[in-house]
Amino acid sequence: MVSEKRKGSKKQAVTRKKLKVENQENSLPEVDKTRKEVNKYYSKIISKDTTNKPKVIEKALKLIGNDLYSASRKHDLCRVIQACLKHGNDQQKAHILECLTEDYGKLAAGKYSFFLAKKLLKIGNKEELMEKVLPQAKAMLASPNGIKFLDLLYSDGNYKNKLMKSIYAPEIEEQTGHLEEIIKNHPEIENDLKSSLHKTVRHALNKGLIEYSIVQHVVCEYTQIIEKDQKLEILGQLWDHLASLMNSKPGVRLAIEALAASDIKQRKKIVKLAQPLINLISDDESNAYLFFIKLFEVIDDTKRINKILSSTIVQNMKEIIKSKNGVKVLLYIIPANLDLFILSQSEIDFLKDDLNTLSKKDLNQKKKEIFLNISQPIIDEITESLETMIKNPRLSNLVVAVAIILSQGLIKAPKLTSAICKFVINWDIMDDNISHRALKKIIVLENKNGNKKFAGRMLKNLKEREDYVEKLIKSRGVWVFESLATSNIKEEAQEFFRKYQDKLEKSHTGEKALFEALTQSN
C-alpha cells in the first residue's frame, strides 16, 4: 500500500511540474515565445546531418522575420542568424545580407552582432558595406566593439585613409586623412577637431583601448598637433600598454616618443618592461626593432641594459640572426662606425625626436659596453655558418661588421679571422656576387679605420697560392684584389699583383680597375 502511494505521488509531482512549465510558457510574451521556438532550431542547423538543413534554416528565418538587426541584438538569436549564414544556401545567405546591409554600421558596433558583421564582410560587397560604416566611424570609436571592428578594417590598407577621413572630418571631401594636413588646410575647424579628439583620446586611455592599432594611429597624430606639456602628459600614460604599442607603426612611434620624453627613473622601469618584448626583434612583421634601436640610443644605464636585456638577447640570438629586423638591431649595436646602410632613410626619419634631453653618454661607448656582453654568441653563430652567411645579402653585412671589430682588436676570434681571410683563395666565395663584395667591404672599411689586419692576412694567403691567383683574377674577386692594391698595404700588394699585370683584360671593368691601380702608382 505504501509503495503504491509513493508511486502515485511521483506521477502526480511530474504532472504538476509539467503543468507549471506549460503555464509559464503560456504566460510568456509573444516575442519570447518566438525566440524560444527559434532557439530550438539551433542544434539542428549546426548538426552534421544536412538532409533537411535548408528547410530548417528557412523555418528559423521565417520565425525571426525580416528585422534581423533587432534580432541580432539578442545573444541567442544572433547566434542562430550566424549559424544560418554559415550553413545556409546561397539564396538564404543573400536574404540575410540584404536584411542587414542597411543597418550594417550599427551591427558592427553591437556587443553580439560584431561577429555577425565580420562574417558578412567575407560574403558581401565590401565597398557597399563600408559606405554604411564610414558615417558612424567617429561614434564607433567610443564603443569597445566598434573600435574592434574599425581596427579590423584599419588593418586592410585599402580602407585606412577612408577611415581616418571619416573619423577626423567627414564633412570635408578634399582631404587625405592626415590630421596635420587637415588642420593646415582648414584652420577654421582646428579648435572643434582638437576638442573632439581630446575626448576620444581621453576615453581610449581611460578604458584601456590603446591596444587597438586604429586608436594608436589617432593618438599618434593627435600628439603632433597639441602643446608639448599636453603631449608629455599623454605619453606618460602609455607605459602600462607597451606590449600593445608594438602592434602597429603608429604605436611604436608613440613608444619611441614616450621613451625619448621619459626621465631617468622611468627609463629604469622601461628597461624592465621591455624585457618580455625582446623576442619581437626577430619578428619581421613587427616594428618593435625600431623601438629597441631607440632604447639603446636613449638609455645611458648600460649596466641595467646588460643585466636585464643582454641575457635575453643572447638566449634569442639564433632567431634574431635569422631575421631581417634582428640583424638591423645587431648591426646598430656593433660599435664600428660602419656605412653599411643599416637603416633606410624612412627608418632614420622615424627614429628622430625632439624630446630627448637626458642622454649624455657617448653613443659609441654605450654600444661598445652592450656589444661586449652579446659578442660571443654572435661570433659563434658566424663561425658555425660563415660560408652561408657571407653569401647572404642581409647576413654578409653582419660578417663585415664583426670583421671590422676584430680588426680593431675590441674582441678576439682567431678561428673566425683565419676563416674569413682564407676566403680570398676560395673560388666559390671570390666569384659569388655577394661574398666577393663582403670581402671588398672588409678591406675598404678597415683601411678607412687605419687598420690592415685582414688585408695583410689575405695577401699572405694569396702569396702562398700564387698558382691560383691567375685564375682568381678572372673571377669577380678581382675587385677584392683592386681593394688590396689601394689599401694600407698597397705597396706590398701592388708589387705582388704586377706579376699578373699582362694577364689583365682592359675590356673587363674589374680587371681594368686593378690595372689602373697598378699603373697609376708608377
Side-chain angles (χ1 to χ4, degrees), residues 177-374:
H178 296 292
L179 189 55
E180 281 187 291
E181 194 173 319
I182 293 170
I183 288 175
K184 182 181 176 182
N185 295 333
H186 301 275
E188 70 280 3
I189 67 167
E190 180 177 357
N191 290 335
D192 289 342
L193 189 50
K194 281 184 177 179
S195 175
S196 171
L197 288 174
H198 175 79
K199 292 175 185 175
T200 300
V201 169
R202 288 293 171 197
H203 175 76
L205 291 172
N206 292 337
K207 297 295 182 182
L209 301 174
I210 194 70
E211 65 181 284
Y212 296 105
S213 298
I214 191 168
V215 177
Q216 293 168 10
H217 185 123
V218 172
V219 176
C220 186
E221 292 214 313
Y222 176 66
T223 56
Q224 305 307 310
I225 63 163
I226 55 178
E227 297 297 325
K228 188 175 180 179
D229 58 339
Q230 292 177 297
K231 179 176 183 174
L232 292 175
E233 184 191 348
I234 290 171
L235 293 175
Q237 298 179 53
L238 298 177
W239 292 118
D240 290 338
H241 309 283
L242 182 59
S244 299
L245 293 176
M246 298 298 112
N247 294 340
S248 73
K249 203 162 186 177
V252 172
R253 179 65 201 162
L254 281 172
I256 284 172
E257 292 206 339
L259 175 61
S262 60
D263 59 33
I264 300 295
K265 189 177 179 180
Q266 285 174 321
R267 290 181 182 186
K268 289 182 179 293
K269 181 184 176 184
I270 291 163
V271 173
K272 188 70 176 174
L273 290 171
Q275 186 185 27
L277 307 178
I278 285 286
N279 63 309
L280 292 176
I281 290 176
S282 56
D283 181 357
D284 286 340
E285 298 299 315
S286 170
N287 289 292
Y289 74 102
L290 291 167
F291 171 75
F292 279 96
I293 286 175
K294 191 68 177 179
L295 185 146
F296 295 131
E297 175 194 321
V298 165
I299 295 181
D300 288 344
D301 191 350
T302 51
K303 286 185 179 179
R304 187 165 181 81
I305 288 176
N306 287 331
K307 181 181 177 181
I308 296 173
L309 296 183
S310 294
S311 58
T312 313
I313 291 173
V314 168
Q315 289 168 12
N316 290 272
M317 189 60 74
K318 281 187 180 293
E319 289 70 28
I320 290 172
I321 285 179
K322 287 176 185 175
S323 68
K324 177 181 69 176
N325 292 340
V327 169
K328 286 183 179 181
V329 174
L330 295 179
L331 285 171
Y332 181 80
I333 293 172
I334 293 174
N337 295 322
L338 304 178
D339 183 17
L340 291 173
F341 307 103
I342 295 170
L343 300 174
S344 66
Q345 189 57 50
S346 63
E347 288 169 325
I348 292 168
D349 292 341
F350 189 84
L351 288 165
K352 284 180 182 175
D353 74 86
D354 57 358
L355 299 171
N356 181 31
T357 58
L358 296 174
S359 297
K360 306 296 181 186
K361 199 170 184 178
D362 178 67
L363 180 58
N364 212 48
Q365 181 61 29
K366 283 193 283 188
K367 289 181 177 184
K368 192 179 292 185
E369 291 169 6
I370 296 168
F371 176 71
L372 287 173
N373 270 270
I374 64 171

Side-chain angles (χ1 to χ4, degrees), residues 31 33-39 41-42 45 56-74 76-85 95-96 99-100 116:
V31 174
K33 285 182 185 177
T34 304
R35 190 171 165 184
K36 191 165 186 178
E37 192 67 29
V38 170
N39 280 318
Y41 289 112
Y42 180 71
I45 294 171
V56 173
I57 291 172
E58 189 178 335
K59 288 178 181 178
L61 290 174
K62 190 174 181 180
L63 277 170
I64 295 171
N66 289 334
D67 190 4
L68 293 184
Y69 169 66
S70 296
S72 71
R73 297 176 68 186
K74 309 290 184 184
D76 49 356
L77 292 183
C78 187
R79 182 183 65 165
V80 174
I81 296 169
Q82 287 184 67
C84 291
L85 189 65
H95 168 73
I96 295 170
C99 290
L100 290 171
L116 178 57

Side-chain angles (χ1 to χ4, degrees), residues 425 461-473 496 500:
I425 51 171
N461 287 333
L462 286 168
K463 286 180 176 179
E464 290 173 357
R465 288 295 309 273
E466 288 193 36
D467 58 313
Y468 201 39
V469 175
E470 190 173 332
K471 180 181 178 183
L472 288 170
I473 280 176
F496 175 72
Y500 309 96

